[in-house]
Amino acid sequence: MSEQNNKSTTDFGFREVPVEDKVKRVADVFHSVAGKYDLMNDLMSGGVHRLWKKLTIEQSGARRGNTILDIAGGTGDLTMRFSRIVGADGKVVLADINDSMLKVGRDRLMDKGVAGNVEFVQANAECLPFPDNTFDIITIAFGLRNVTDKDAALRSMARVLKPGGKVMVLEFSKTDNIALTKLYDFYSFNILPKMGQMIAGDAESYQYLAESIRMHPDQETLKGMMQNAGLVNCKYQNMTGGIVALHTGIKP
């Protein structure tokens, strides 16, 4: 049983809220920011998020004919790239718990002519609605920190992954560089909410996003969680000084 199942409250940023309330609160955040999500990602990261995602694609080992699940796929950055790799013989499922984000992603991919081998599914990562041993690769980029029960989500991913398949978690993480940490904290809590207010008309949601990053498990803790979910060969690669880390694990 995961630790979360023994608690009546969980973190929502720096606040403790009833477990049953977190899903709705997170949903409200992403309903609010969905329309400006891509623009804000570029502004928040200086465009570097595209490089982080490019590296994830390169290290996925995806090839023609694969079946891939992109959890918390949002506006479809990874799905779009995977769709081109797997071709007509493969399939990519873009899954997101938030219908506003899913709609933005679907509209964006259809506008770019990417839809033939893509399926859109509204799904909770903690209880994925797919059969066992379905996917060759599962990715979740900048989504795990918003999940209420991360252990349950990782177990669910392991269940629907094929033996020999790979789970990839791209997420903000922890840097051990003191100067970089101070600079990053100043940016996150002083600049980011103001930017959210100016661009998306929503400072509070971006305050939450900054806080959720700080509450996310560090690299070694997440690696251990993936191992506890039944994955093997678990490892991580830091990017941008550890501000972001790419964790991978294999289903035996």
Side-chain angles (χ1 to χ4, degrees), residues 30 37 53 56 67-80 82 92-98 101-102 118-130 135 137-161 166-171 231:
F30 285 94
Y37 189 73
K53 292 171 182 174
T56 301
T67 301
I68 298 176
L69 174 61
D70 181 17
I71 301 173
T75 54
D77 281 352
L78 291 179
T79 293
M80 188 182 305
F82 279 134
V92 184
V93 177
L94 191 164
D96 204 293
I97 194 171
N98 187 279
M101 293 292 290
L102 201 62
V118 176
E119 182 181 346
F120 301 90
V121 177
Q122 187 170 358
N124 186 333
E126 297 174 22
C127 47
L128 294 166
F130 309 108
F135 299 98
I137 299 166
I138 297 175
T139 59
I140 180 167
F142 306 114
L144 186 62
R145 72 181 190 278
N146 297 309
V147 174
T148 303
D149 191 336
K150 298 173 180 61
D151 293 306
L154 291 168
R155 289 195 303 269
S156 188
M157 292 179 216
R159 178 185 65 77
V160 302
L161 189 67
K166 181 185 292 187
V167 167
M168 309 184 76
V169 180
L170 180 66
E171 188 56 87
L231 300 170

Side-chain angles (χ1 to χ4, degrees), residues 177-198:
N177 182 308
I178 295 175
L180 182 58
T181 298
K182 287 182 177 179
L183 179 63
Y184 186 40
D185 281 347
F186 178 82
Y187 170 77
S188 297
F189 295 109
N190 293 277
I191 307 300
L192 182 55
K194 291 183 175 67
M195 195 181 296
Q197 183 62 44
M198 286 190 300

Side-chain angles (χ1 to χ4, degrees), residues 12-246:
F12 178 74
F14 291 161
R15 287 173 286 172
E16 284 285 311
V17 300
V19 167
E20 60 272 17
D21 287 357
K22 181 168 180 176
V23 170
K24 181 183 184 305
R25 287 173 181 258
V26 171
D28 288 343
V29 168
F30 285 94
H31 285 314
S32 174
V33 304
K36 300 287 187 179
Y37 189 73
D38 287 333
L39 174 60
M40 284 299 299
N41 273 350
D42 282 330
L43 291 174
M44 284 189 300
S45 70
V48 180
H49 75 100
R50 298 178 185 275
L51 298 178
W52 298 329
K53 292 171 182 174
K54 182 174 183 289
L55 183 62
T56 301
I57 296 288
E58 290 172 352
Q59 296 199 4
S60 69
R63 60 184 185 273
R64 188 171 186 85
N66 278 167
T67 301
I68 298 176
L69 174 61
D70 181 17
I71 301 173
T75 54
D77 281 352
L78 291 179
T79 293
M80 188 182 305
R81 293 169 172 82
F82 279 134
S83 172
R84 292 165 180 156
I85 294 171
V86 304
D89 299 330
K91 182 172 78 169
V92 184
V93 177
L94 191 164
D96 204 293
I97 194 171
N98 187 279
D99 58 341
S100 295
M101 293 292 290
L102 201 62
K103 183 179 186 301
V104 170
R106 182 171 56 242
D107 291 348
R108 181 184 180 216
L109 294 187
M110 291 183 70
D111 287 346
K112 292 182 177 292
V114 180
N117 61 355
V118 176
E119 182 181 346
F120 301 90
V121 177
Q122 187 170 358
N124 186 333
E126 297 174 22
C127 47
L128 294 166
F130 309 108
D132 296 358
N133 309 319
T134 297
F135 299 98
D136 298 289
I137 299 166
I138 297 175
T139 59
I140 180 167
F142 306 114
L144 186 62
R145 72 181 190 278
N146 297 309
V147 174
T148 303
D149 191 336
K150 298 173 180 61
D151 293 306
L154 291 168
R155 289 195 303 269
S156 188
M157 292 179 216
R159 178 185 65 77
V160 302
L161 189 67
K162 293 178 181 178
K166 181 185 292 187
V167 167
M168 309 184 76
V169 180
L170 180 66
E171 188 56 87
F172 290 107
S173 200
K174 305 292 190 294
T175 174
D176 57 8
N177 182 308
I178 295 175
L180 182 58
T181 298
K182 287 182 177 179
L183 179 63
Y184 186 40
D185 281 347
F186 178 82
Y187 170 77
S188 297
F189 295 109
N190 293 277
I191 307 300
L192 182 55
K194 291 183 175 67
M195 195 181 296
Q197 183 62 44
M198 286 190 300
I199 303 299
D202 185 353
E204 186 175 350
S205 289
Y206 283 90
Q207 179 77 23
Y208 158 73
L209 293 174
E211 292 176 1
S212 69
I213 292 169
R214 299 307 183 278
M215 298 301 294
H216 187 67
D218 64 22
Q219 288 91 325
E220 284 293 329
T221 302
L222 180 54
K223 177 182 173 183
M225 292 166 66
M226 293 176 71
Q227 292 169 332
N228 290 339
L231 300 170
V232 299
N233 298 332
C234 296
K235 57 187 177 181
Y236 60 86
Q237 176 180 348
N238 286 331
M239 306 179 194
T240 318
I243 288 176
V244 164
L246 174 63

